[in-house]
Amino acid sequence: MPKENRQRGRLQNKKRKRDEYEKGKIDITRQNSADPLPIPITDAGDGEAETEIQVQGEAGDDFISFGQPTTPARSAVDERPFYGLLDEQEQAYYTDVNAKIEANDFGSPEDKALFLDAVYRESQGKELKIASSQSCSRYLEKWIRISSAEQVRRLLVRFVSHFLQLVQHRFASHCCEALFLKAAQFVAADEAELEQPSGTLSLEQLFLAVVEELQPNLGYLLTERFASHVVRVLLLVLSGEPLNDVSTLSVLASRKKEKIDAYSNGEENIPVASRKVPPSFHEALSRLISRSVSTLDTTYIRALATHPTGNPTLQLLLRLEVVSGGKSKAKHADSVLHRLLPDESLEEDGEGAKFVQGLMYDPTGSRLLETIIQNAPGKMFKRLYGNLLRQRMGAMAKNDIASYVAIRVLERLSKEDLQSARDEILSEMSTLVCRNRIGIIKVLVERCEIRHVDVGPVVAALQAAYGDNSGALLLRMLKLVPTSEIPEQPDSQQKQPGEETVEKTADIHGSLLAQTLLQSPTAFALIQQGLQSLSSDVLLRLAKDPSASRVLQQSLTSPCSNLQSKRKLTPKFYGHMADLAMDISGSHLADVLWRATHGSHFMKERLAEELRAAESQLRESRYGRTVWRNWNMDVYLRRPGEWQAMAKVGVAEPGNGREDGTSKKSRLELARERFVEKNGKRQRLGGRTDAVPAKA
């Protein structure tokens, strides 16, 4: 009898097991007596086969499973309506439309607006299909970002009563997010100025309708995979907070979200500053926040703190609650913060203290703890710091997760507490440098300068950790020279810093720390002496490095730098000016040298002569042309006397032509000013006022 034709391999075995399971040959619910007993659940609607769910481990009565929703939520998902599919002809049409808009070959903006309006007319009745399509939903998301107020309003009208299903859809949820963000721009403006047909709902009314539709299911949507980011955007729109602030973007969406780039024509303009929203939005926001936590107990909310989807939403709820109601709102029994930490004493052995300690070292929960530290009332923060965080500052600073919590703590400490925290952190300085925890050292220096705390101990600790040799210290800080390559020897026996090989890219965290030290009067000499001790070749390599170049720029423009320190560093770049000007990073340093040589005219003239000698090369380089223009080299060649005057008084500056930030005036503008001044004198003296201005 012939054998069955069976293929070997891991993938084929998995496929065979899956086929056998679907045919009913394998019962995976209970394979041996050691497996947990299944729990049968029968669908109330029909008496068909039962569904078996296994509960692994020792789950108590307060067990919360976020992986699978409860039975009502699951049935709601199963009953999600199907809006249909686009046929091949329709998909080809929308692909062509997207290609035409991306090409942007319209005669005028009016033609483009008419074309987009025609696309919306063609899509009437198909909006839900397009939003649910895997490919065309991306096109719709782009079109929304360049749509007018009326087009956004009509699309909102079409989506109303379907938002509960759309926000849970894998593709349509992104269209809803883009629609809310675009509509927020028009709600922020005065809707009275927008053309709106009579008898239609306004954008404000449509947003309130969306709130009413989603509010009953908000507790489930907080942890829904696709709906959670839409809910966060809706909360932010209602609050009036900036939509693209740096602190907000990390809460709106995860880093894994696919980025759908809008058409690069400058039409999308999301406001950065706080927006003006109707008073009804603040009322709706308060209802949503209270609704989201009113039915949840402390155990459930604390479970959200470490949930990857619920944590960002909980952060936003906590922050918006403080912004809308003030820090006094956090003291109410129904507030989010009070639900998280009902124990106001925060004693060492209390439940609240144990919860906070668990969040410190959790990758997800630590972000919520940062938000709590930033927004907690003053009295609560003092108890939190005094009882739990004070004695742990050194240990937190060494940890790769808890160090960010320690940074937030430093930002709120008073002068006396900052001194004790500084001493606690400095005792672990060698470990911080070894583990590259440079960010907390940078923040410590900044806060000490703001609170007028002595930075001297920080400088001494850095010298002990990196070494006493100033040049080697800087290269170690930038991670350009490993520690093993610079042995601890007396200065007379050490290898010269200029002889070190610098081939790697500078560490951005070390660069930021060096820039911060250059802004401190106490620590300025530490970095400045290191730069002066390096050779010209090493400095040239630093100038061409994207991160290290900023250290050189800061050393020449810092308020702590003086004419003497600039004169010691500037000659290091003699003979390299043209090379710097043609480099993407070095060109910024070449621009800074114009300002750094103010008061040292002979140095500025020598550098300008180097640029003149390489004129043909600079004009062929993109960055060289910019440096040529910023140094006013055309004036240097054609009118040397005028350039000499500009260089001595410091009139011109890269980018604007003047050191005070104003643009350099042309000869015609100066002649007009002289005429106006002369005319005003004649009026005061009763003379003629119809004089003809002199030629410029």
Side-chain angles (χ1 to χ4, degrees), residues 169 232 256 621 688 690:
H169 195 275
R232 294 196 289 269
K256 298 181 181 180
S621 171
R688 291 172 56 88
D690 55 350

Side-chain angles (χ1 to χ4, degrees), residues 423-567:
D423 298 337
E424 186 75 19
I425 293 174
L426 292 184
S427 63
E428 306 290 346
M429 179 62 74
S430 59
T431 306
L432 297 179
V433 171
C434 181
R435 298 183 181 180
N436 200 27
R437 304 287 179 263
I438 307 300
I440 191 169
I441 305 175
K442 169 183 170 293
V443 175
L444 179 62
V445 175
E446 292 176 344
R447 298 307 301 176
C448 287
E449 288 294 332
I450 294 174
R451 296 293 189 187
H452 302 289
V453 177
D454 186 18
V455 188
V458 182
V459 175
L462 287 174
Q463 288 178 322
Y466 285 112
D468 294 333
N469 186 286
S470 56
L473 181 147
L474 180 60
L475 294 179
R476 285 179 176 178
M477 187 178 295
L478 297 176
K479 298 293 182 182
L480 294 175
V481 177
T483 306
S484 58
E485 294 187 12
I486 306 181
E488 292 295 338
Q489 297 176 358
D491 293 343
S492 59
Q493 302 179 6
Q494 270 192 350
K495 184 186 293 185
Q496 294 299 323
E499 300 176 4
E500 300 296 340
T501 57
V502 181
E503 300 293 344
K504 300 187 299 181
T505 303
D507 180 59
I508 186 173
H509 299 288
S511 175
L512 293 173
L513 175 59
Q515 295 176 53
T516 304
L517 294 173
L518 285 170
Q519 296 177 359
S520 171
T522 306
F524 175 81
L526 179 67
I527 305 300
Q528 186 69 16
Q529 291 175 3
L531 291 173
Q532 294 174 3
S533 64
L534 297 176
S535 65
S536 298
D537 293 337
V538 175
L539 287 176
L540 184 62
R541 294 174 184 174
L542 296 182
K544 293 182 178 182
D545 187 274
S547 301
S549 176
R550 296 183 177 272
V551 179
L552 289 168
Q553 298 172 39
Q554 186 66 41
S555 66
L556 294 172
T557 58
S558 173
C560 304
S561 63
N562 51 30
L563 186 60
Q564 183 180 5
S565 62
K566 294 176 183 178
R567 285 183 174 178

Side-chain angles (χ1 to χ4, degrees), residues 47-58:
E48 297 180 357
E50 297 178 346
T51 303
E52 296 181 341
I53 300 179
Q54 296 184 7
V55 179
Q56 301 289 345
E58 299 179 358

Side-chain angles (χ1 to χ4, degrees), residues 373-390:
I373 291 173
Q374 287 178 301
N375 298 278
K379 293 183 178 180
M380 176 179 286
F381 172 75
K382 289 181 179 179
R383 288 194 298 268
L384 182 65
Y385 176 73
N387 297 341
L388 301 177
L389 304 178
R390 184 194 302 272

Side-chain angles (χ1 to χ4, degrees), residues 298-473:
T298 300
T299 303
Y300 191 96
I301 294 181
R302 288 182 176 178
L304 290 178
T306 54
H307 190 264
T309 305
N311 179 276
T313 310
L314 194 60
Q315 291 182 54
L316 190 61
L317 288 173
L318 181 61
R319 185 163 65 87
L320 294 182
E321 183 181 58
V322 175
V323 171
S324 60
K327 293 190 176 181
S328 59
K329 174 67 176 177
K331 302 177 181 179
H332 296 174
D334 58 345
S335 65
V336 180
L337 184 57
H338 191 271
R339 291 294 184 93
L340 283 170
L341 299 172
D343 184 13
E344 297 183 358
S345 61
L346 293 176
E347 296 295 338
E348 181 72 24
D349 298 331
E351 291 294 330
K354 295 179 180 178
F355 172 67
V356 172
Q357 295 174 19
L359 294 181
M360 284 183 192
Y361 302 98
D362 186 83
T364 304
S366 61
R367 297 180 180 271
L368 178 64
L369 184 56
E370 292 180 41
T371 306
I372 293 175
I373 291 173
Q374 287 178 301
N375 298 278
K379 293 183 178 180
M380 176 179 286
F381 172 75
K382 289 181 179 179
R383 288 194 298 268
L384 182 65
Y385 176 73
N387 297 341
L388 301 177
L389 304 178
R390 184 194 302 272
Q391 63 272 20
R392 294 183 173 89
M393 287 298 293
M396 292 168 60
K398 295 186 297 183
N399 188 267
D400 57 341
I401 296 175
S403 60
Y404 295 98
V405 179
I407 288 175
R408 300 301 182 188
V409 173
L410 291 177
E411 293 174 351
R412 291 201 61 176
L413 291 181
S414 61
K415 182 177 180 179
E416 293 75 13
D417 292 334
L418 185 61
Q419 288 177 341
S420 62
R422 179 202 61 187
D423 298 337
E424 186 75 19
I425 293 174
L426 292 184
S427 63
E428 306 290 346
M429 179 62 74
S430 59
T431 306
L432 297 179
V433 171
C434 181
R435 298 183 181 180
N436 200 27
R437 304 287 179 263
I438 307 300
I440 191 169
I441 305 175
K442 169 183 170 293
V443 175
L444 179 62
V445 175
E446 292 176 344
R447 298 307 301 176
C448 287
E449 288 294 332
I450 294 174
R451 296 293 189 187
H452 302 289
V453 177
D454 186 18
V455 188
V458 182
V459 175
L462 287 174
Q463 288 178 322
Y466 285 112
D468 294 333
N469 186 286
S470 56
L473 181 147

